[in-house]
Amino acid sequence: MADIIARACAMHGVRYAFGVPGGGSSLDMIEAFSRHGIAFQLCRTETGAALMAAADAEIRNGFGVVITTQGPGTASAMNGLAHSALDRAPILLISDGWTPARAAYDTHQVFDQRLMSSAVVKGSTRLDGPEPGAEMDALIRLMLSAPWGPVHLELTSETARRAAAIPAQQHNPDLDGHGEGADSTDYHGRPLDLLKQARKPVLVVGLEARERGVSGQILALAESLQCPVLTTYKAKGVVSDECEWLVGHFTGGAAERECVDAADLIVLCGLDPVELIGRPWPYRAAVIDVALVRHPVHYMAPQAGLYGSLRLSLETLKQGAAGSSWKRAEIDALRSGMHVRLAYAGSEGGLSPQAVVETAMRLAGAARPAITVDAGAHMFSAMAFWRACAPGRALISNGLATMGYALPAGIARSLNHPDEQVIVFTGDGGLMMCAGELATAAQAGNKLCVVVFNDAALSLIALKQRDRGMPDTGVSWPQADFAAVARGFGMQAYRASTEAEYEQALRQAFQSGVPCLIDVHVDPSGYGAQARSLRG
């Protein structure tokens, strides 16, 4: 049975399985994966493994695989599964399990794992039916159907070792993408009429547009309309940050409002409402919703929609697109205005988070590295001032917005592209949640540079605390020496508190070609104004 699972994964382009094994079926799966050319990456935490698998799914535009032991291992993976669910990253969790005979007498570490995961997975199975190959195919199709998300395979050792005929042909819809279901589009309202009537449309690009081939279609539509484009965090790079039509990010906050307020039509291109920050929809302009599926819970009721294949929907819109009344100077001014509003203005001296990001980008030069970004106040500068030029080159947890994401995601990126530099932008709080994965990074040995924004606090939570008139309590700690920790795990590491020290550390890290960490002491005093400019 293990070979049926491994073969199905290999056929869909899986190259790595991430996890922390136990003594049950996980050992059988590691061996089967090896037979089918899939390497097992030992992680230090199950949460980190699940987050690596989710990032792997995004990077490859396929699905990721995570392996855990039963009981505590499966429980530990739940945060990664929740990220996978809310950030629409299809992953297959393979956990050890118990046979009915064993569960009849054993209670040690025993609980209903499938019930626990049911809140976040799209489905689960034990592959104990008469046609395990078909059951496996159905599980994969479920993962890759919109909205994308995780599934759970609870696998006992007995089932993993059970003899089963490998099907002559297993389902393989599209190795180059998730697959969109039926190659068709369902219409709601009259989208083409709205598009033809609009004088000042704006495109808002979301995570569903990460599929291969869609990026070029969105750019073509923007060029036909000659209109502003905004991307969500998850869609960063789908339209290059250096594109003449790109204004900035759309988060559901205040920073984009000047641009969208000026529009008479909003075209959502693959936007999933899970991406926005939870504010009421403030816009009066008509909305065309272009998405893989019609999301039942949304911030607004669109006047028109196209649901199904994004490729067909965007091609349909392009056929009805004509030049808008936007002036190039207007779009340039909107872009500049957003940058000015989001600029970091600290008052305590020292390195600003914006300088940390822009200096890394400048020293990296034309070979712009991929980045991964953790949740926390530093993400405002990382996302606003790093320019990503292609899909999948800026990874962030946004739907769940979990801390402890950036380092595992960076490891996954470096494994998939071992010859390319990867930069991890993480806060000190986020790194503390996954510090053990520094050992995974050191063991992987790739060109990974971890940049820690070290301000000895949960700065974003501290801002919320102050906004409520509360004293600073329970949101800070003694400043940690992350460089010493990283060296203990076998990485090269540096500390920096001035721009000159930081530049020198970056140059050495980029030249080394090995995993490095830079512990940067930053000035947190500008986070409040920056957050208000972004979110309102």
Side-chain angles (χ1 to χ4, degrees):
M1 188 71 69
D3 277 300
I4 290 178
I5 300 167
R7 181 174 183 263
C9 292
M11 287 181 64
H12 283 266
V14 173
R15 298 172 56 208
Y16 290 95
F18 303 88
V20 181
S25 64
S26 54
L27 300 181
D28 301 287
M29 286 310 311
I30 290 171
E31 186 178 12
F33 279 138
S34 179
R35 288 195 293 270
H36 289 270
I38 297 172
F40 175 69
Q41 177 60 57
L42 174 64
C43 305
R44 274 43 178 189
T45 65
E46 292 85 0
T47 295
L51 292 172
M52 287 181 213
D56 181 58
E58 286 193 46
I59 293 159
R60 293 186 302 98
N61 216 245
F63 69 86
V65 177
V66 57
I67 298 174
T68 71
T69 188
Q70 63 200 18
T74 305
S76 179
M78 287 301 111
N79 186 62
L81 280 189
H83 160 81
S84 174
L86 293 180
D87 281 73
R88 315 308 192 207
I91 67 171
L92 170 65
L93 167 65
I94 305 174
S95 71
D96 291 346
W98 302 270
T99 63
R102 182 179 167 191
Y105 67 85
D106 186 7
T107 58
H108 177 67
Q109 297 186 329
V110 176
F111 58 88
D112 192 333
Q113 299 182 131
R114 292 172 66 190
L115 178 62
M116 181 177 67
S117 70
S118 64
V120 290
V121 300
K122 298 181 69 177
S124 62
T125 188
R126 290 171 58 91
L127 286 191
D128 49 11
E131 296 186 42
E135 209 173 330
M136 188 67 198
D137 285 345
L139 201 63
I140 292 173
R141 283 196 297 269
L142 182 61
M143 249 194 306
L144 299 181
S145 63
W148 313 311
V151 295
H152 182 185
L153 170 57
E154 186 180 66
L155 190 67
T156 66
S157 295
E158 289 76 6
T159 301
R161 298 168 194 162
R162 193 178 89 199
I166 296 179
Q169 183 174 4
Q170 286 181 275
H171 184 69
N172 180 14
D174 181 7
L175 284 178
D176 294 325
H178 295 104
E180 299 176 339
D183 195 19
S184 63
T185 297
D186 293 330
Y187 286 75
H188 162 67
R190 301 175 66 85
L192 291 180
D193 289 346
L194 285 174
L195 192 63
K196 289 174 183 177
Q197 294 164 10
R199 301 272 60 85
K200 301 190 84 170
V202 62
L203 303 185
V204 178
V205 182
L207 67 82
E208 292 176 350
R210 296 175 311 193
E211 286 197 294
R212 289 191 180 97
V214 171
S215 174
Q217 286 186 296
I218 291 174
L219 180 58
L221 179 60
E223 290 175 339
S224 296
L225 293 170
Q226 297 184 347
C227 73
V229 178
L230 295 150
T231 69
T232 64
Y233 280 174
K234 294 295 291 188
K236 186 176 179 68
V238 169
V239 175
S240 170
D241 285 334
E242 296 180 349
C243 172
E244 59 187 330
W245 309 111
L246 198 285
V247 169
H249 292 120
F250 187 95
T251 66
E256 67 265 22
R257 201 158 294 165
E258 181 184 10
C259 177
V260 185
D261 274 341
D264 61 2
L265 178 68
I266 303 167
V267 184
L268 306 180
C269 301
L271 178 112
D272 188 316
V274 77
E275 302 184 77
L276 307 185
I277 61 175
R279 303 285 174 82
W281 188 259
Y283 305 113
R284 294 185 178 182
V287 175
I288 300 175
D289 185 23
V290 182
L292 294 178
V293 294
R294 189 169 184 175
H295 297 280
V297 179
H298 215 305
Y299 288 86
M300 49 77 222
Q303 281 65 45
L306 297 94
Y307 301 105
S309 166
L310 288 186
R311 295 182 182 94
L312 286 180
S313 295
L314 291 167
E315 183 60 35
T316 298
L317 286 181
K318 187 174 182 297
Q319 291 171 5
S324 68
S325 62
W326 285 102
K327 300 291 190 290
R328 185 70 59 84
E330 282 184 279
I331 297 173
D332 292 344
L334 288 169
R335 182 189 309 112
S336 297
M338 184 176 286
H339 276 231
V340 169
R341 286 192 296 277
L342 294 178
Y344 194 89
S347 60
E348 297 177 1
L351 275 168
S352 75
Q354 180 177 340
V356 170
V357 174
E358 291 182 327
T359 299
M361 189 167 63
R362 173 171 56 83
L363 292 186
R368 189 78 50 79
I371 64 168
T372 62
V373 182
D374 220 295
H378 69 281
M379 73 180 178
F380 302 147
S381 291
M383 297 304 286
F385 298 106
W386 185 272
R387 295 196 295 275
C389 299
R393 298 191 65 81
L395 301 178
I396 188 170
S397 176
N398 190 46
L400 183 63
T402 181
M403 294 170 68
Y405 168 81
L407 176 56
I411 293 169
R413 176 76 201 189
S414 70
L415 287 170
N416 276 277
H417 299 277
D419 296 327
E420 296 181 10
Q421 182 70 59
V422 179
I423 300 177
V424 171
F425 288 129
T426 183
D428 47 356
L431 184 56
M432 287 182 183
M433 293 184 180
C434 63
E437 300 304 345
L438 291 172
T440 309
Q443 186 176 19
N446 296 322
K447 298 167 70 174
L448 187 73
C449 179
V450 180
V451 176
V452 188
F453 295 72
N454 190 348
D455 58 12
L458 295 170
S459 295
L460 192 55
I461 308 307
L463 289 176
K464 296 177 181 180
Q465 194 174 53
R466 290 171 204 146
D467 287 344
R468 294 177 61 183
M470 298 176 174
D472 290 354
T473 304
V475 293
S476 62
W477 45 72
Q479 196 160 55
D481 185 346
F482 291 104
V485 173
R487 291 188 198 102
F489 283 126
M491 298 177 70
Q492 290 189 15
Y494 314 90
R495 300 184 76 185
S497 56
T498 67
E499 188 164 348
E501 290 173 346
Y502 178 53
E503 283 200 20
Q504 182 181 10
L506 278 171
R507 292 182 193 280
Q508 292 176 342
F510 291 163
Q511 291 169 4
S512 72
V514 299
C516 297
L517 179 143
I518 306 175
D519 182 351
V520 187
H521 294 187
V522 295
D523 167 20
S525 61
Y527 281 137
Q530 192 179 42
R532 285 187 289 274
S533 296
L534 179 69
R535 296 183 170 181

